[in-house]
Amino acid sequence: QVQLKESGPGLVQPSQTLSLTCTVSGFSLTSYDVHWVRQPPGKGLEWMGGIWGDGSTAYNSALKSRLSISRDTSKSQVFLKMNSLQTEDTAIYFCTPLGFWGPGTMVTVSS
Amino acid sequence: DVVLTQTPPTLSATIGQSVSISCRSSQSLLDSDGDTYLNWLLQRPGQSPQLLIYSVSNLESGVPNRFSGSGSETDFTLKISGVEAEDLGVYYCMQATHAPYTFGAGTKLELK
């Protein structure tokens, strides 16, 4: 059965770099794409970027300059790195193959 | 980037009422492979989103058949035939034809 688990620091200081890990089970990263989606408190969903089964990536135009998505297929993990964080990056961050969503991880940007 | 415009932003319904949500795209979502990657998701209060419908009209496994999707190119509709209490929440359309993928702003379905 498909499972997804996002993990990360919870609290990040402004201007610092966010690193998140998505650990998946029940499917192969070489067969399915995985996307990162975020949701600021009380707001809508924003697609951040994705990594496809062949390893190619695509990013949200507004985040492209500070976002990187990678993976380790041997560990069934997908990684998100985003630098220069600001308070408006406070959100729940989800990793998802779109057909299934995990619980997400809350990230607060604050000093 | 593709802009998805959802209307209405808020929808008030009684139990048993049928409702529709519109999603209009700034460009055609027909892919070169012949498929149209327009999905509908529901986010219930306090929960993660769940996929309801993919590729315009295909019901995700386990989703009740009171949900249906239709449309083509740039105009799409989600219909709920007989709202039930568990259907309350925010509905999002999402396009996965053109990278970067994009979401609509959401339609909140609430009880009248």
Side-chain angles (χ1 to χ4, degrees):
Chain A
Q1 114 221 28
V2 174
Q3 289 191 326
L4 298 148
K5 177 69 175 172
E6 305 92 345
S7 57
L11 179 65
V12 179
Q13 294 199 334
S15 80
Q16 296 302 301
T17 295
L18 172 65
S19 294
L20 297 176
T21 299
C22 172
T23 303
V24 312
S25 59
F27 67 97
S28 169
L29 293 179
T30 58
S31 299
Y32 291 88
D33 23 290
V34 172
H35 305 267
W36 288 95
V37 175
R38 69 179 180 177
Q39 185 171 40
K43 296 192 177 180
L45 301 171
E46 179 184 35
W47 184 83
M48 299 181 70
I51 186 163
W52 272 253
D54 64 2
S56 61
T57 54
Y59 300 103
N60 180 312
S61 303
L63 302 174
K64 196 172 184 176
S65 63
R66 55 191 188 105
L67 180 62
S68 174
I69 295 173
S70 60
R71 70 184 184 185
D72 183 335
T73 55
S74 67
K75 294 183 179 179
S76 293
Q77 291 181 323
V78 178
F79 309 106
L80 176 147
K81 273 191 178 8
M82 188 163 69
N83 59 32
S84 304
L85 255 63
Q86 300 302 321
T87 54
E88 53 265 34
D89 294 312
T90 294
I92 299 173
Y93 287 73
F94 299 96
C95 67
T96 173
L98 297 181
F100 186 85
W101 293 66
T105 187
M106 181 69 201
V107 174
T108 301
V109 182
S110 173
S111 54
Chain B
D1 297 359
V2 174
V3 176
L4 297 179
T5 303
Q6 276 185 248
T7 54
T10 305
L11 197 48
S12 295
T14 56
I15 300 299
Q17 182 180 351
S18 291
V19 298
S20 293
I21 299 170
S22 170
C23 178
R24 288 194 167 166
S25 173
S26 60
Q27 58 184 275
S28 174
L29 299 183
L30 176 62
D31 194 33
S32 55
D33 66 5
D35 207 339
T36 300
Y37 298 102
L38 187 284
N39 305 327
W40 290 96
L41 300 93
L42 164 62
Q43 187 174 31
R44 297 185 176 94
Q47 295 187 19
S48 300
Q50 69 165 110
L51 182 65
L52 296 177
I53 288 174
Y54 62 94
S55 297
V56 180
S57 59
N58 296 280
L59 219 55
E60 180 72 353
S61 176
V63 174
N65 60 13
R66 63 179 178 275
F67 291 94
S68 62
S70 63
S72 63
E73 302 272 1
T74 60
D75 286 327
F76 304 92
T77 301
L78 173 71
K79 183 177 180 180
I80 310 172
S81 300
V83 168
E84 298 194 5
E86 66 181 22
D87 301 338
L88 303 183
V90 181
Y91 290 80
Y92 296 93
C93 57
M94 177 204 174
Q95 67 84 19
T97 296
H98 304 287
Y101 294 177
T102 47
F103 288 92
T107 294
K108 184 175 183 180
L109 177 61
E110 53 189 26
L111 272 182
K112 191 181 291 184

